[in-house]
């Protein structure tokens, strides 16, 4: 017996191979019907989905209680259990979120370019839906409704594979969405849920390049790496956010401290929180001791380079690993740099392509920072925490991409569409000598 | 010995494993320098590249003679040999093509959206280069210069892997490009050529997801499938063009015949040539016999459904395979359909997502065709042959994508960039209560 058969034999194989292909084929078969709906029909569908979730609240809470019990029995505690939990308020939040997506401007049909060629051809670039989108995610059951709402609003069908821990909640939410689809005279398979959460079915899903136009994994780095490693379908992902704040020699000291505190401490467990602060040597002596004392007093653990530690004795020595770390905790790596070149070189080396911030009143410095840093968001004199769909004006987001292809940064509705060409003529041919 | 070691042992292993990784690392290391050039510097670089190719013409022709001899010795003939061949005119064509790319509008730095948020944040979406692009292609040596010019014009470094048959020509062209880079004070590795064309090195290239932002295969369906099958890097591809012309009941009969002739016969060997014509039953009896006689007289072989054959006895019976075929030859599959629904259903089933044409004077019909067909180009009353970068106003193209992600249809300079966020503030924080 080799390694791969050993792996398969330890999985609960309650559904046969081909189970996900059948689901995906059924979902894909609906994609033309969904893509052909006009904006008002898609808005009506989302409102019906919101109504159905509100009406199904009791069933959803009952199912969630089953999930919570199973998780508690398995010894799950703390943040993980909290992410899984639904109550009346959280279900109401799901309903509101669907209605907010319904209210977003429609990207489908948007003409992004229009041109009349010298031969009279009218050439337009027009947004259309992608087709079938697969979402692969973990604990939070609200993603089931959020992802379905975003995909359908942009005219796509969706194949959902949530985590095993939220299985009953996801089935209950999907049942509401199916009711709404059927009430609108649409096929329920436009939202298809992979109910059997065995790992082998994720592997099968990731091979379906003839059916799935895009897969978006959302969850921990381990899940994302698993998806990236095994996918034959296109994947847009982000592994982690190692976000930097560079405090330039020309930084406003009060502003820089505000950005450090907000970036590190307002919500340390999210991907747009700061992990490393780089400080120009010319400002370090005067600014760093007070700034680190303040951060420390507010609960941050400081891990510093030698020059940082010479200015702030409480700092733990920083290692190479610290510059690579997404702490998801109130820990900040701090390094003093000789100049902006060294700051840019540090970021280019350790960046996760997520968010980098410069605090500087010197426009030449910030322009250079913008030019040489190619992360999904470069921020001048504001907090890294603004890199999300809501704060940047996209409305709801389906994820944040650090893949420098198709979408980069927060992915809103527009990222769930693609531009194609519509060409209108009056009999133009390429070779009039042939076809004349 | 298992299958995979058997495969490796039959390959000429003249370079050790890791050879392509070294090349890609060197190329990637230059990507920041190339991305930081302003538009005028990139234009100057391309002009220097054009000059260097012109100056190196003799060396390139000598190297090409070696490739041609090797190919002739191996028994290569006809179109394949013609694709490989360079002469003074073709080298001059390469020089002109580089200068044309230099003259294209610069996509880098373009602000595609600009918004001031309620909190005063200035949020811009700005185009930046992708980073390192890998091109994998076959016989034509001009692709070496074309691809390098397009990638560098858009601020990217490029890793080139041409076909073994054009190896000496590609090395000679790359040597010219390297001279130009060095003359401009830039690292030659910004254009890196995989000189050892052993297949195992392509496999290695396709695994380098930490170094390569995008791989674009260009060539026959076999090459594209090999790349798609083995890639861990993002790939944009098109397999084949099975382009349709639907002749609606409301078609202008003269116009429809012109589109059929131009689409099928002006250049049958290209991907935007027509393969299948669908004809509305209401117009078939009156239009089809004359149209097919004309196409036939001009050299087209007709393969028809039963209803087509009843109207045009010379037609060969069409099989299921004909509707899937990219003939690359003057052969046309013809099918009579009952209505536009049947035409749309046929296209949705057999489409390669490349180009579909409707001939109709009925706007309701063409609007419906546009709405329900999601190919990269939908064309109303004009020839399918217009789906390329030049004809649609993009200038040169690096390929035509039928991947419904990032770019769909002809890929010009813009497709070699990505939009990211630049956020400018005055000290805004996400949680003033925390950071105040």
């Amino acid at each position: 017996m080799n390694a791969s058969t050993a792996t398969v034999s330890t999985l609960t194989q309650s559904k046969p191979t081909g189970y996900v292909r059948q689901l995906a084929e059924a979902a894909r078969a609906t994609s033309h019907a969904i893509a052909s709906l006009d904006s008002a029909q898609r808005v009506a569908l989302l409102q019906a989905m919101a109504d159905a979730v509100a009406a199904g609240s009791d069933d959803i809470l009952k199912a969630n209680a089953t999930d919570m019990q199973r998780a508690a029995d398995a010894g799950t505690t703390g943040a993980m259990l909290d992410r899984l939990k639904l109550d009346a308020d959280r279900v109401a939040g799901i309903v509101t979120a669907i209605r907010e997506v319904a209210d977003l401007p429609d990207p489908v049909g948007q003409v992004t370019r229009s041109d009349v060629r010298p031969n009279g051809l009218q050439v337009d670039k027009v947004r259309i839906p992608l087709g079938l989108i697969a979402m692969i995610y973990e604990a939070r059951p609200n993603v089931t409704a959020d992802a379905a709402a975003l995909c359908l609003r942009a005219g796509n069908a969706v194949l959902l594979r949530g985590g095993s821990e939220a299985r009953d909640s996801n089935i209950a939410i999907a049942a509401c969405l199916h009711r709404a689809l059927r009430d609108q005279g649409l096929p329920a398979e436009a939202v298809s849920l992979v109910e059997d959460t065995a790992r082998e079915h994720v592997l099968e899903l990731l091979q379906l390049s003839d059916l799935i136009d895009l897969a978006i994994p959302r969850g921990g780095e381990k899940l994302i790496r698993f998806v990236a490693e095994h996918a034959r379908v296109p994947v847009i992902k982000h592994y982690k956010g190692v976000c930097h704040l560079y405090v330039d020699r020309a930084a406003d000291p009060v502003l820089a401290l505000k950005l450090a505190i907000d970036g590190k401490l307002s919500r340390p467990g999210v991907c747009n929180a700061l992990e490393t602060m780089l400080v120009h040597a010319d400002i370090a002596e005067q600014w760093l001791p007070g700034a680190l004392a303040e951060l420390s007093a507010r609960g941050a653990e400081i891990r510093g380079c030698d020059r940082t530690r010479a200015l702030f004795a409480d700092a733990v020595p920083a290692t190479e690993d610290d510059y690579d770390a997404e702490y998801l905790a109130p820990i900040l790596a701090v390094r003093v740099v000789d100049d902006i070149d060294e700051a840019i070189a540090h970021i280019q080396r350790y960046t996760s392509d997520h968010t980098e911030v410069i605090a500087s009143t010197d426009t030449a410095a910030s322009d250079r920072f913008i030019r040489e840093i190619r992360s999904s968001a470069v921020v001048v004199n504001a907090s890294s925490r603004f890199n999300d769909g809501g704060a940047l004006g996209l409305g709801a987001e389906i994820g944040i991409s650090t893949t420098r292809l198709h979408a980069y940064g927060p992915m809103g509705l527009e990222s769930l569409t693609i531009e194609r060409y519509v060409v209108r003529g009056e009999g133009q041919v390429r070779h009039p000598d042939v076809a004349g």
Side-chain angles (χ1 to χ4, degrees), chain A residues 297-327:
Chain A
R298 290 167 182 252
E301 175 187 329
I302 308 298
R303 300 193 183 169
C305 68
D306 290 347
R307 292 158 88 180
T308 300
R309 296 181 65 225
L311 294 168
F312 185 72
D314 288 354
V316 178
T319 66
E320 183 71 14
D321 284 350
D322 282 303
Y323 299 135
D324 256 331
E326 182 184 38
Y327 295 117

PDB file of all heavy atoms in Angstrom, chain A residues 297-327:
ATOM      1  N   ALA A 297       2.460  50.197  26.727  1.00  0.00           N
ATOM      2  CA  ALA A 297       1.483  50.482  27.783  1.00  0.00           C
ATOM      3  C   ALA A 297       0.082  50.042  27.363  1.00  0.00           C
ATOM      4  O   ALA A 297      -0.743  49.678  28.199  1.00  0.00           O
ATOM      5  CB  ALA A 297       1.487  51.980  28.108  1.00  0.00           C
ATOM      6  N   ARG A 298      -0.185  50.076  26.045  1.00  0.00           N
ATOM      7  CA  ARG A 298      -1.503  49.656  25.551  1.00  0.00           C
ATOM      8  C   ARG A 298      -1.555  48.149  25.251  1.00  0.00           C
ATOM      9  O   ARG A 298      -2.528  47.665  24.679  1.00  0.00           O
ATOM     10  CB  ARG A 298      -1.846  50.436  24.279  1.00  0.00           C
ATOM     11  CG  ARG A 298      -2.145  51.911  24.541  1.00  0.00           C
ATOM     12  CD  ARG A 298      -2.160  52.694  23.247  1.00  0.00           C
ATOM     13  NE  ARG A 298      -2.394  54.111  23.461  1.00  0.00           N
ATOM     14  CZ  ARG A 298      -3.542  54.742  23.157  1.00  0.00           C
ATOM     15  NH1 ARG A 298      -4.551  54.081  22.639  1.00  0.00           N
ATOM     16  NH2 ARG A 298      -3.655  56.028  23.370  1.00  0.00           N
ATOM     17  N   GLY A 299      -0.488  47.439  25.610  1.00  0.00           N
ATOM     18  CA  GLY A 299      -0.585  45.976  25.548  1.00  0.00           C
ATOM     19  C   GLY A 299       0.208  45.313  24.447  1.00  0.00           C
ATOM     20  O   GLY A 299       0.128  44.085  24.277  1.00  0.00           O
ATOM     21  N   ALA A 300       0.982  46.083  23.661  1.00  0.00           N
ATOM     22  CA  ALA A 300       1.744  45.454  22.581  1.00  0.00           C
ATOM     23  C   ALA A 300       3.069  44.904  23.112  1.00  0.00           C
ATOM     24  O   ALA A 300       3.731  45.538  23.941  1.00  0.00           O
ATOM     25  CB  ALA A 300       2.016  46.461  21.474  1.00  0.00           C
ATOM     26  N   GLU A 301       3.420  43.724  22.632  1.00  0.00           N
ATOM     27  CA  GLU A 301       4.760  43.192  22.887  1.00  0.00           C
ATOM     28  C   GLU A 301       5.661  43.657  21.744  1.00  0.00           C
ATOM     29  O   GLU A 301       5.294  43.525  20.575  1.00  0.00           O
ATOM     30  CB  GLU A 301       4.715  41.661  22.920  1.00  0.00           C
ATOM     31  CG  GLU A 301       6.103  41.040  23.073  1.00  0.00           C
ATOM     32  CD  GLU A 301       6.092  39.521  22.934  1.00  0.00           C
ATOM     33  OE1 GLU A 301       5.067  38.894  23.295  1.00  0.00           O
ATOM     34  OE2 GLU A 301       7.110  38.979  22.452  1.00  0.00           O
ATOM     35  N   ILE A 302       6.826  44.208  22.083  1.00  0.00           N
ATOM     36  CA  ILE A 302       7.731  44.739  21.071  1.00  0.00           C
ATOM     37  C   ILE A 302       8.898  43.773  20.866  1.00  0.00           C
ATOM     38  O   ILE A 302       9.526  43.352  21.827  1.00  0.00           O
ATOM     39  CB  ILE A 302       8.284  46.125  21.485  1.00  0.00           C
ATOM     40  CG1 ILE A 302       7.145  47.079  21.859  1.00  0.00           C
ATOM     41  CG2 ILE A 302       9.174  46.700  20.379  1.00  0.00           C
ATOM     42  CD1 ILE A 302       6.175  47.394  20.734  1.00  0.00           C
ATOM     43  N   ARG A 303       9.140  43.407  19.582  1.00  0.00           N
ATOM     44  CA  ARG A 303      10.325  42.612  19.253  1.00  0.00           C
ATOM     45  C   ARG A 303      11.203  43.465  18.337  1.00  0.00           C
ATOM     46  O   ARG A 303      10.795  43.805  17.223  1.00  0.00           O
ATOM     47  CB  ARG A 303       9.925  41.330  18.548  1.00  0.00           C
ATOM     48  CG  ARG A 303       9.009  40.485  19.436  1.00  0.00           C
ATOM     49  CD  ARG A 303       8.841  39.091  18.938  1.00  0.00           C
ATOM     50  NE  ARG A 303       7.895  38.379  19.800  1.00  0.00           N
ATOM     51  CZ  ARG A 303       7.372  37.194  19.523  1.00  0.00           C
ATOM     52  NH1 ARG A 303       7.693  36.598  18.384  1.00  0.00           N
ATOM     53  NH2 ARG A 303       6.539  36.600  20.353  1.00  0.00           N
ATOM     54  N   GLY A 304      12.394  43.843  18.825  1.00  0.00           N
ATOM     55  CA  GLY A 304      13.165  44.857  18.115  1.00  0.00           C
ATOM     56  C   GLY A 304      14.524  44.385  17.624  1.00  0.00           C
ATOM     57  O   GLY A 304      15.097  43.417  18.137  1.00  0.00           O
ATOM     58  N   CYS A 305      15.040  45.096  16.611  1.00  0.00           N
ATOM     59  CA  CYS A 305      16.419  44.893  16.173  1.00  0.00           C
ATOM     60  C   CYS A 305      17.341  45.496  17.239  1.00  0.00           C
ATOM     61  O   CYS A 305      16.875  46.125  18.202  1.00  0.00           O
ATOM     62  CB  CYS A 305      16.650  45.564  14.816  1.00  0.00           C
ATOM     63  SG  CYS A 305      16.574  47.370  14.900  1.00  0.00           S
ATOM     64  N   ASP A 306      18.644  45.341  17.086  1.00  0.00           N
ATOM     65  CA  ASP A 306      19.586  45.832  18.091  1.00  0.00           C
ATOM     66  C   ASP A 306      19.438  47.337  18.328  1.00  0.00           C
ATOM     67  O   ASP A 306      19.465  47.794  19.476  1.00  0.00           O
ATOM     68  CB  ASP A 306      21.029  45.528  17.657  1.00  0.00           C
ATOM     69  CG  ASP A 306      21.319  44.021  17.727  1.00  0.00           C
ATOM     70  OD1 ASP A 306      20.497  43.289  18.332  1.00  0.00           O
ATOM     71  OD2 ASP A 306      22.344  43.587  17.165  1.00  0.00           O
ATOM     72  N   ARG A 307      19.274  48.087  17.231  1.00  0.00           N
ATOM     73  CA  ARG A 307      19.163  49.539  17.389  1.00  0.00           C
ATOM     74  C   ARG A 307      17.860  49.924  18.090  1.00  0.00           C
ATOM     75  O   ARG A 307      17.812  50.896  18.847  1.00  0.00           O
ATOM     76  CB  ARG A 307      19.252  50.222  16.018  1.00  0.00           C
ATOM     77  CG  ARG A 307      20.656  50.082  15.421  1.00  0.00           C
ATOM     78  CD  ARG A 307      20.636  50.249  13.910  1.00  0.00           C
ATOM     79  NE  ARG A 307      20.768  51.658  13.520  1.00  0.00           N
ATOM     80  CZ  ARG A 307      20.779  52.059  12.244  1.00  0.00           C
ATOM     81  NH1 ARG A 307      20.642  51.186  11.257  1.00  0.00           N
ATOM     82  NH2 ARG A 307      20.929  53.336  11.967  1.00  0.00           N
ATOM     83  N   THR A 308      16.823  49.163  17.851  1.00  0.00           N
ATOM     84  CA  THR A 308      15.566  49.401  18.571  1.00  0.00           C
ATOM     85  C   THR A 308      15.751  49.128  20.056  1.00  0.00           C
ATOM     86  O   THR A 308      15.327  49.920  20.913  1.00  0.00           O
ATOM     87  CB  THR A 308      14.453  48.483  18.004  1.00  0.00           C
ATOM     88  OG1 THR A 308      14.279  48.768  16.622  1.00  0.00           O
ATOM     89  CG2 THR A 308      13.140  48.683  18.739  1.00  0.00           C
ATOM     90  N   ARG A 309      16.432  48.020  20.359  1.00  0.00           N
ATOM     91  CA  ARG A 309      16.605  47.623  21.759  1.00  0.00           C
ATOM     92  C   ARG A 309      17.490  48.610  22.509  1.00  0.00           C
ATOM     93  O   ARG A 309      17.331  48.804  23.718  1.00  0.00           O
ATOM     94  CB  ARG A 309      17.149  46.203  21.848  1.00  0.00           C
ATOM     95  CG  ARG A 309      16.133  45.199  21.266  1.00  0.00           C
ATOM     96  CD  ARG A 309      16.624  43.779  21.344  1.00  0.00           C
ATOM     97  NE  ARG A 309      16.748  43.358  22.723  1.00  0.00           N
ATOM     98  CZ  ARG A 309      17.780  42.699  23.208  1.00  0.00           C
ATOM     99  NH1 ARG A 309      18.801  42.383  22.428  1.00  0.00           N
ATOM    100  NH2 ARG A 309      17.814  42.350  24.483  1.00  0.00           N
ATOM    101  N   ALA A 310      18.419  49.261  21.782  1.00  0.00           N
ATOM    102  CA  ALA A 310      19.262  50.271  22.425  1.00  0.00           C
ATOM    103  C   ALA A 310      18.421  51.483  22.856  1.00  0.00           C
ATOM    104  O   ALA A 310      18.771  52.186  23.816  1.00  0.00           O
ATOM    105  CB  ALA A 310      20.370  50.710  21.465  1.00  0.00           C
ATOM    106  N   LEU A 311      17.305  51.691  22.154  1.00  0.00           N
ATOM    107  CA  LEU A 311      16.436  52.834  22.467  1.00  0.00           C
ATOM    108  C   LEU A 311      15.263  52.451  23.362  1.00  0.00           C
ATOM    109  O   LEU A 311      14.592  53.314  23.931  1.00  0.00           O
ATOM    110  CB  LEU A 311      15.890  53.441  21.167  1.00  0.00           C
ATOM    111  CG  LEU A 311      16.929  54.083  20.243  1.00  0.00           C
ATOM    112  CD1 LEU A 311      16.328  54.377  18.868  1.00  0.00           C
ATOM    113  CD2 LEU A 311      17.471  55.362  20.878  1.00  0.00           C
ATOM    114  N   PHE A 312      14.977  51.144  23.439  1.00  0.00           N
ATOM    115  CA  PHE A 312      13.820  50.691  24.217  1.00  0.00           C
ATOM    116  C   PHE A 312      14.173  49.323  24.809  1.00  0.00           C
ATOM    117  O   PHE A 312      14.055  48.286  24.148  1.00  0.00           O
ATOM    118  CB  PHE A 312      12.589  50.609  23.308  1.00  0.00           C
ATOM    119  CG  PHE A 312      11.312  50.261  24.044  1.00  0.00           C
ATOM    120  CD1 PHE A 312      10.704  51.187  24.886  1.00  0.00           C
ATOM    121  CD2 PHE A 312      10.718  49.003  23.897  1.00  0.00           C
ATOM    122  CE1 PHE A 312       9.534  50.873  25.556  1.00  0.00           C
ATOM    123  CE2 PHE A 312       9.540  48.686  24.577  1.00  0.00           C
ATOM    124  CZ  PHE A 312       8.949  49.630  25.398  1.00  0.00           C
ATOM    125  N   ALA A 313      14.595  49.357  26.035  1.00  0.00           N
ATOM    126  CA  ALA A 313      15.200  48.177  26.660  1.00  0.00           C
ATOM    127  C   ALA A 313      14.206  47.025  26.842  1.00  0.00           C
ATOM    128  O   ALA A 313      14.615  45.856  26.898  1.00  0.00           O
ATOM    129  CB  ALA A 313      15.810  48.563  28.010  1.00  0.00           C
ATOM    130  N   ASP A 314      12.898  47.337  26.901  1.00  0.00           N
ATOM    131  CA  ASP A 314      11.911  46.270  27.127  1.00  0.00           C
ATOM    132  C   ASP A 314      11.689  45.383  25.904  1.00  0.00           C
ATOM    133  O   ASP A 314      10.997  44.362  25.997  1.00  0.00           O
ATOM    134  CB  ASP A 314      10.555  46.880  27.517  1.00  0.00           C
ATOM    135  CG  ASP A 314      10.602  47.445  28.931  1.00  0.00           C
ATOM    136  OD1 ASP A 314      11.631  47.241  29.601  1.00  0.00           O
ATOM    137  OD2 ASP A 314       9.617  48.087  29.349  1.00  0.00           O
ATOM    138  N   ALA A 315      12.236  45.806  24.762  1.00  0.00           N
ATOM    139  CA  ALA A 315      11.984  45.020  23.549  1.00  0.00           C
ATOM    140  C   ALA A 315      12.707  43.680  23.601  1.00  0.00           C
ATOM    141  O   ALA A 315      13.860  43.596  24.023  1.00  0.00           O
ATOM    142  CB  ALA A 315      12.442  45.801  22.316  1.00  0.00           C
ATOM    143  N   VAL A 316      11.999  42.642  23.183  1.00  0.00           N
ATOM    144  CA  VAL A 316      12.567  41.299  23.006  1.00  0.00           C
ATOM    145  C   VAL A 316      13.397  41.334  21.716  1.00  0.00           C
ATOM    146  O   VAL A 316      13.013  42.033  20.775  1.00  0.00           O
ATOM    147  CB  VAL A 316      11.413  40.279  22.863  1.00  0.00           C
ATOM    148  CG1 VAL A 316      11.922  38.865  22.638  1.00  0.00           C
ATOM    149  CG2 VAL A 316      10.487  40.355  24.071  1.00  0.00           C
ATOM    150  N   PRO A 317      14.519  40.592  21.633  1.00  0.00           N
ATOM    151  CA  PRO A 317      15.273  40.599  20.366  1.00  0.00           C
ATOM    152  C   PRO A 317      14.443  39.996  19.224  1.00  0.00           C
ATOM    153  O   PRO A 317      13.852  38.934  19.391  1.00  0.00           O
ATOM    154  CB  PRO A 317      16.489  39.719  20.658  1.00  0.00           C
ATOM    155  CG  PRO A 317      16.576  39.618  22.141  1.00  0.00           C
ATOM    156  CD  PRO A 317      15.184  39.776  22.675  1.00  0.00           C
ATOM    157  N   ALA A 318      14.421  40.701  18.107  1.00  0.00           N
ATOM    158  CA  ALA A 318      13.698  40.190  16.927  1.00  0.00           C
ATOM    159  C   ALA A 318      14.605  39.241  16.148  1.00  0.00           C
ATOM    160  O   ALA A 318      15.801  39.485  16.006  1.00  0.00           O
ATOM    161  CB  ALA A 318      13.266  41.350  16.021  1.00  0.00           C
ATOM    162  N   THR A 319      14.026  38.150  15.651  1.00  0.00           N
ATOM    163  CA  THR A 319      14.781  37.227  14.804  1.00  0.00           C
ATOM    164  C   THR A 319      14.262  37.363  13.366  1.00  0.00           C
ATOM    165  O   THR A 319      13.271  38.043  13.121  1.00  0.00           O
ATOM    166  CB  THR A 319      14.571  35.768  15.250  1.00  0.00           C
ATOM    167  OG1 THR A 319      13.190  35.429  15.015  1.00  0.00           O
ATOM    168  CG2 THR A 319      14.881  35.594  16.731  1.00  0.00           C
ATOM    169  N   GLU A 320      14.950  36.688  12.459  1.00  0.00           N
ATOM    170  CA  GLU A 320      14.526  36.653  11.054  1.00  0.00           C
ATOM    171  C   GLU A 320      13.052  36.226  10.941  1.00  0.00           C
ATOM    172  O   GLU A 320      12.291  36.782  10.152  1.00  0.00           O
ATOM    173  CB  GLU A 320      15.439  35.645  10.331  1.00  0.00           C
ATOM    174  CG  GLU A 320      15.215  35.512   8.855  1.00  0.00           C
ATOM    175  CD  GLU A 320      15.685  36.731   8.062  1.00  0.00           C
ATOM    176  OE1 GLU A 320      16.427  37.577   8.612  1.00  0.00           O
ATOM    177  OE2 GLU A 320      15.273  36.836   6.899  1.00  0.00           O
ATOM    178  N   ASP A 321      12.668  35.236  11.740  1.00  0.00           N
ATOM    179  CA  ASP A 321      11.293  34.733  11.704  1.00  0.00           C
ATOM    180  C   ASP A 321      10.267  35.819  12.023  1.00  0.00           C
ATOM    181  O   ASP A 321       9.138  35.781  11.527  1.00  0.00           O
ATOM    182  CB  ASP A 321      11.100  33.588  12.709  1.00  0.00           C
ATOM    183  CG  ASP A 321      11.708  32.297  12.202  1.00  0.00           C
ATOM    184  OD1 ASP A 321      12.105  32.253  11.016  1.00  0.00           O
ATOM    185  OD2 ASP A 321      11.812  31.342  13.001  1.00  0.00           O
ATOM    186  N   ASP A 322      10.663  36.773  12.883  1.00  0.00           N
ATOM    187  CA  ASP A 322       9.714  37.827  13.247  1.00  0.00           C
ATOM    188  C   ASP A 322       9.326  38.672  12.042  1.00  0.00           C
ATOM    189  O   ASP A 322       8.199  39.137  11.940  1.00  0.00           O
ATOM    190  CB  ASP A 322      10.315  38.715  14.343  1.00  0.00           C
ATOM    191  CG  ASP A 322      10.236  38.041  15.714  1.00  0.00           C
ATOM    192  OD1 ASP A 322       9.119  37.696  16.121  1.00  0.00           O
ATOM    193  OD2 ASP A 322      11.287  37.832  16.340  1.00  0.00           O
ATOM    194  N   TYR A 323      10.271  38.876  11.127  1.00  0.00           N
ATOM    195  CA  TYR A 323       9.969  39.712   9.961  1.00  0.00           C
ATOM    196  C   TYR A 323       9.071  38.993   8.959  1.00  0.00           C
ATOM    197  O   TYR A 323       8.499  39.606   8.072  1.00  0.00           O
ATOM    198  CB  TYR A 323      11.261  40.181   9.288  1.00  0.00           C
ATOM    199  CG  TYR A 323      12.126  41.030  10.205  1.00  0.00           C
ATOM    200  CD1 TYR A 323      13.496  40.813  10.297  1.00  0.00           C
ATOM    201  CD2 TYR A 323      11.557  42.036  10.985  1.00  0.00           C
ATOM    202  CE1 TYR A 323      14.286  41.580  11.136  1.00  0.00           C
ATOM    203  CE2 TYR A 323      12.339  42.804  11.835  1.00  0.00           C
ATOM    204  CZ  TYR A 323      13.699  42.574  11.904  1.00  0.00           C
ATOM    205  OH  TYR A 323      14.476  43.339  12.743  1.00  0.00           O
ATOM    206  N   ASP A 324       8.965  37.691   9.090  1.00  0.00           N
ATOM    207  CA  ASP A 324       8.099  36.882   8.221  1.00  0.00           C
ATOM    208  C   ASP A 324       6.733  36.609   8.846  1.00  0.00           C
ATOM    209  O   ASP A 324       5.861  36.059   8.200  1.00  0.00           O
ATOM    210  CB  ASP A 324       8.756  35.513   7.971  1.00  0.00           C
ATOM    211  CG  ASP A 324       9.374  35.428   6.586  1.00  0.00           C
ATOM    212  OD1 ASP A 324       8.871  36.111   5.672  1.00  0.00           O
ATOM    213  OD2 ASP A 324      10.363  34.691   6.433  1.00  0.00           O
ATOM    214  N   ALA A 325       6.595  36.974  10.125  1.00  0.00           N
ATOM    215  CA  ALA A 325       5.440  36.484  10.895  1.00  0.00           C
ATOM    216  C   ALA A 325       4.178  37.308  10.680  1.00  0.00           C
ATOM    217  O   ALA A 325       4.217  38.538  10.621  1.00  0.00           O
ATOM    218  CB  ALA A 325       5.787  36.468  12.377  1.00  0.00           C
ATOM    219  N   GLU A 326       3.037  36.611  10.521  1.00  0.00           N
ATOM    220  CA  GLU A 326       1.722  37.226  10.706  1.00  0.00           C
ATOM    221  C   GLU A 326       1.292  36.798  12.106  1.00  0.00           C
ATOM    222  O   GLU A 326       0.826  35.682  12.310  1.00  0.00           O
ATOM    223  CB  GLU A 326       0.728  36.707   9.659  1.00  0.00           C
ATOM    224  CG  GLU A 326      -0.635  37.377   9.793  1.00  0.00           C
ATOM    225  CD  GLU A 326      -1.691  36.835   8.832  1.00  0.00           C
ATOM    226  OE1 GLU A 326      -1.708  35.615   8.589  1.00  0.00           O
ATOM    227  OE2 GLU A 326      -2.507  37.631   8.335  1.00  0.00           O
ATOM    228  N   TYR A 327       1.477  37.700  13.084  1.00  0.00           N
ATOM    229  CA  TYR A 327       1.284  37.286  14.483  1.00  0.00           C
ATOM    230  C   TYR A 327      -0.177  36.986  14.812  1.00  0.00           C
ATOM    231  O   TYR A 327      -0.467  36.124  15.612  1.00  0.00           O
ATOM    232  CB  TYR A 327       1.779  38.384  15.427  1.00  0.00           C
ATOM    233  CG  TYR A 327       3.267  38.636  15.369  1.00  0.00           C
ATOM    234  CD1 TYR A 327       3.764  39.862  14.950  1.00  0.00           C
ATOM    235  CD2 TYR A 327       4.177  37.648  15.757  1.00  0.00           C
ATOM    236  CE1 TYR A 327       5.131  40.111  14.915  1.00  0.00           C
ATOM    237  CE2 TYR A 327       5.541  37.886  15.722  1.00  0.00           C
ATOM    238  CZ  TYR A 327       6.014  39.121  15.301  1.00  0.00           C
ATOM    239  OH  TYR A 327       7.355  39.359  15.279  1.00  0.00           O
TER     240      TYR A 327
END
